Amino acid sequence: MTSPRVTVLAGGVGGARLAHGFALAGVPLDVVVNVGDDTELHGLWISPDLDTVLYTLAGLNDEERGWGLRGESYATLAQLAVLGEDTWFTLGDKDLATHVARTARLRAGLPLSAVTAQLAASLGVTARLLPVTDDPVATVLDTPSGRLAFQEYFVRRHHADAVLGITYEGIDAARPAPGVLDAVGGADVLVLAPSNPFLSLLPVLGVAGVRDAVERTSARRVAVSPIVGGQAIKGPAAQILETLGHDVSALGVARLYTGLVDVMVIDDADAALAPAIEDLGFDVVVTDTVMGGPDGRERLARELLAV
Amino acid sequence: MTSPRVTVLAGGVGGARLAHGFALAGVPLDVVVNVGDDTELHGLWISPDLDTVLYTLAGLNDEERGWGLRGESYATLAQLAVLGEDTWFTLGDKDLATHVARTARLRAGLPLSAVTAQLAASLGVTARLLPVTDDPVATVLDTPSGRLAFQEYFVRRHHADAVLGITYEGIDAARPAPGVLDAVGGADVLVLAPSNPFLSLLPVLGVAGVRDAVERTSARRVAVSPIVGGQAIKGPAAQILETLGHDVSALGVARLYTGLVDVMVIDDADAALAPAIEDLGFDVVVTDTVMGGPDGRERLARELLAV
């Protein structure tokens, strides 16, 4: 029996961990990643979600912190501060190499998808890592303090502002990167990672043709709820669901994915929500969705393959 | 008595050390620096001569090596190599901050002279550091192996190729940076540093108006020979004088500076050349021109002020 082809739609940490689980399970894997959090800092093009997935699949990520590389030093950043640069976005010395190389290659005319494939190959990643688009998309948050660029909101202001609305600038003009629609259409299992729906997955689904490909694929479509017991495992998903008027629960997430997904995977803590989610037309799997380290990731990935 | 205003025309190490001597002597100082060795690597704009002068004046330079910053680490460079970048040009982590900040500010539209002034201020340098031009000038070497870009010749191939000819690409279109002509015209003492005439000073003098300003300034004009006892203190000056058909000596250097300089300063080792240099119309000062550390620099600077 051949392994099922798996495609994961992913944001940062949650997507990276689940994708890593599939990689550890040894299945052919495509990961389509959000670029709405990309930003330019110090003249360098930074793709935080792509890098989190890249470093995690390469086994080089800092597990404790959830982002960046293990064993980092910060000599360049400290000197950038001496030179008067704004250094609220932490950039390690090794991590900087990714941004320097990516920026140089983008400026030389390569599309982000080609640069990403090069970086993944250099780090020994065999899964196919795809930015959802080679075109610029910028997630912008409306808050009581005004409109904030994504990293301004997320890193500089520690996602403390209430999110009253979200715009994905450029998304109407963005075309899917080469391979993205095929990865969605040709998968046996399509997984919406336990990433933030608003900050990670909607800007993936919003790129022309992606939502349509998800709706039409013959793959078994599975979403893992990022909300467990009314809280996000990481990040501001719970606050954003609330301020945008959604149920802060796996049920609220399921409503967002109606028509896109066949199976909702929810945590044991949320077992009581299963009937209501089934009423929306989903199959529901109740399991331990909190992945923790590599063992937990592979376990969850294998459970999803068995769905 | 007010201090004389000193302007130094400089390349890298020799210019940096003598400029440092004047700074230590406490005189008002402008340093006009070659940019013909500037290069773009990994998408970053690198100005090695400017940086050598900057780091030396800031007291942050690596004295033993002659370039770069003291106490460097190389984490980013090692990772750039992992990512498949060509890393023959050694870039320290702290040094990289200079290139990252410079490149970002240039791309944001600031001219090199303004960026240089910012960097100097951030590092506590009170001397005025001026690139000779904000326009691109590229020193290119004709060699038996073909035409080589400067850093290709100098760093990658360890200046081992015979230099058959030199072109300063872009120099005809280059305009002097703001402040350069005033620094030359308004100086009390104008110093041609013991830098390589061909690789450092001719591409300074070749920028429109600079040679003319040197010829017309009322400053006392002093050149320090970079050739001592028929050899260069550092770098390929001796080989280049030879392959281009010049005398490999302080006399050969003096001939290049005829009409530009009033006083040739030569080393004790070359005392026998003094009469021949005087015959060319120069005043000649014979002294210890090998500066070594900060004490030697300040000593030589004070001797030049007394000329």
Side-chain angles (χ1 to χ4, degrees):
Chain A
M1 188 188 112
T2 54
S3 290
R5 293 195 58 82
V6 175
T7 294
V8 177
L9 308 189
V13 178
R17 289 184 176 166
L18 187 53
H20 192 210
F22 285 109
L24 292 169
V27 295
L29 177 64
D30 288 359
V31 191
V32 177
V33 183
N34 171 47
V35 296
D37 62 337
D38 284 18
T39 190
E40 190 172 336
L41 289 168
H42 317 294
L44 302 174
W45 192 254
I46 299 175
S47 300
D49 278 357
L50 274 172
D51 289 344
T52 296
V53 178
L54 173 66
Y55 297 158
T56 302
L57 289 176
L60 300 170
N61 61 309
D62 186 313
E63 287 285 346
E64 267 181 58
R65 205 168 47 180
W67 51 270
L69 290 156
R70 266 199 313 282
E72 269 289 16
S73 53
Y74 300 90
T76 304
L77 193 74
Q79 188 67 13
L80 282 169
V82 170
L83 298 178
E85 294 280 309
D86 232 347
T87 55
W88 50 269
F89 194 95
T90 302
L91 293 167
D93 294 324
K94 287 194 286 187
D95 185 36
L96 255 167
T98 305
H99 312 314
V100 167
R102 173 191 293 122
T103 305
R105 297 172 194 186
L106 289 174
R107 289 200 197 278
L110 278 183
L112 182 62
S113 53
V115 175
T116 301
Q118 290 177 346
L119 296 173
S122 292
L123 296 183
V125 171
T126 52
R128 191 158 62 137
L129 190 53
L130 294 164
V132 64
T133 178
D134 285 326
D135 299 317
V137 173
T139 300
V140 177
L141 296 306
D142 291 313
T143 76
S145 304
R147 280 168 69 77
L148 299 176
F150 182 79
Q151 297 300 342
E152 182 85 12
Y153 157 77
F154 196 78
V155 174
R156 190 170 204 172
R157 298 169 68 95
H158 311 287
H159 49 71
D161 300 271
V163 173
L164 309 175
I166 305 182
T167 316
Y168 309 111
E169 289 186 354
I171 204 160
D172 291 339
R175 296 148 299 171
V180 166
L181 297 185
D182 287 347
V184 172
D188 298 307
V189 180
L190 178 73
V191 180
L192 272 60
S195 298
N196 189 308
F198 299 100
L199 303 184
S200 298
L201 295 184
L202 293 182
V204 169
L205 293 163
V207 171
V210 175
R211 179 181 286 269
D212 194 51
V214 171
E215 287 172 354
R216 295 155 74 125
T217 181
S218 60
R220 183 79 163 151
R221 303 169 303 173
V222 182
V224 181
S225 172
I227 301 290
V228 172
Q231 301 196 311
I233 301 294
K234 198 168 170 28
Q239 298 96 295
I240 295 179
L241 278 164
E242 182 166 12
T243 57
L244 295 185
H246 301 277
D247 226 49
V248 186
S249 71
L251 177 61
V253 173
R255 287 198 188 105
L256 295 171
Y257 294 158
T258 304
L260 291 169
V261 159
D262 308 304
V263 184
M264 277 299 299
V265 178
I266 64 173
D267 195 75
D268 295 319
D270 296 317
L273 298 171
I277 297 173
E278 283 169 346
D279 284 349
L280 296 173
F282 295 96
D283 292 339
V284 176
V285 171
V286 181
T287 185
D288 175 9
T289 64
V290 183
M291 289 175 275
D295 287 353
R297 292 165 202 179
E298 184 175 347
R299 174 196 51 74
L300 182 58
R302 289 190 183 280
E303 287 186 49
L304 299 189
L305 290 172
V307 159
Chain B
M1 188 186 114
T2 55
S3 291
R5 292 195 59 82
V6 174
T7 295
V8 178
L9 308 189
V13 179
R17 289 183 177 167
L18 187 53
H20 192 210
F22 285 109
L24 292 170
V27 296
L29 176 65
D30 289 358
V31 191
V32 177
V33 183
N34 172 46
V35 296
D37 62 337
D38 285 17
T39 190
E40 189 172 337
L41 289 168
H42 316 295
L44 301 175
W45 192 255
I46 299 175
S47 299
D49 278 358
L50 275 172
D51 288 344
T52 296
V53 178
L54 173 65
Y55 296 159
T56 302
L57 289 176
L60 299 171
N61 60 310
D62 186 313
E63 287 285 346
E64 268 183 57
R65 205 167 50 181
W67 51 270
L69 290 156
R70 267 199 313 282
E72 269 288 19
S73 52
Y74 300 90
T76 304
L77 193 73
Q79 189 67 12
L80 282 169
V82 170
L83 298 178
E85 295 281 309
D86 232 348
T87 55
W88 51 269
F89 193 95
T90 301
L91 293 167
D93 294 323
K94 285 194 287 189
D95 184 38
L96 255 168
T98 304
H99 313 313
V100 167
R102 173 191 292 122
T103 306
R105 296 172 194 186
L106 289 174
R107 288 199 198 278
L110 278 183
L112 182 61
S113 53
V115 175
T116 302
Q118 290 176 345
L119 296 173
S122 293
L123 296 182
V125 171
T126 53
R128 192 159 60 140
L129 190 55
L130 293 164
V132 63
T133 177
D134 286 326
D135 299 318
V137 173
T139 299
V140 177
L141 296 308
D142 290 314
T143 77
S145 305
R147 280 169 68 75
L148 300 176
F150 183 80
Q151 296 301 341
E152 182 86 12
Y153 157 77
F154 196 79
V155 174
R156 189 171 204 171
R157 297 167 69 95
H158 311 287
H159 48 73
D161 300 271
V163 172
L164 308 175
I166 304 182
T167 316
Y168 310 111
E169 289 186 354
I171 204 159
D172 291 338
R175 296 148 298 170
V180 166
L181 297 185
D182 288 345
V184 172
D188 298 307
V189 181
L190 178 72
V191 180
L192 272 59
S195 297
N196 189 307
F198 300 101
L199 303 183
S200 298
L201 294 185
L202 293 182
V204 168
L205 292 163
V207 170
V210 175
R211 179 181 286 270
D212 195 51
V214 171
E215 286 172 355
R216 295 156 72 127
T217 181
S218 59
R220 183 80 163 151
R221 303 169 304 172
V222 183
V224 181
S225 172
I227 300 291
V228 172
Q231 300 197 312
I233 301 292
K234 195 166 172 30
Q239 298 97 294
I240 295 179
L241 278 163
E242 182 164 15
T243 57
L244 295 184
H246 300 277
D247 227 48
V248 185
S249 70
L251 177 61
V253 173
R255 287 199 187 103
L256 296 171
Y257 294 158
T258 304
L260 291 169
V261 160
D262 308 304
V263 185
M264 277 298 299
V265 179
I266 65 174
D267 194 75
D268 295 319
D270 296 318
L273 297 171
I277 297 173
E278 283 168 347
D279 284 350
L280 296 173
F282 294 94
D283 293 339
V284 176
V285 171
V286 180
T287 185
D288 175 8
T289 64
V290 183
M291 289 176 274
D295 287 353
R297 293 166 201 176
E298 184 176 347
R299 174 195 52 73
L300 182 59
R302 289 189 182 280
E303 287 188 47
L304 300 188
L305 290 173
V307 160

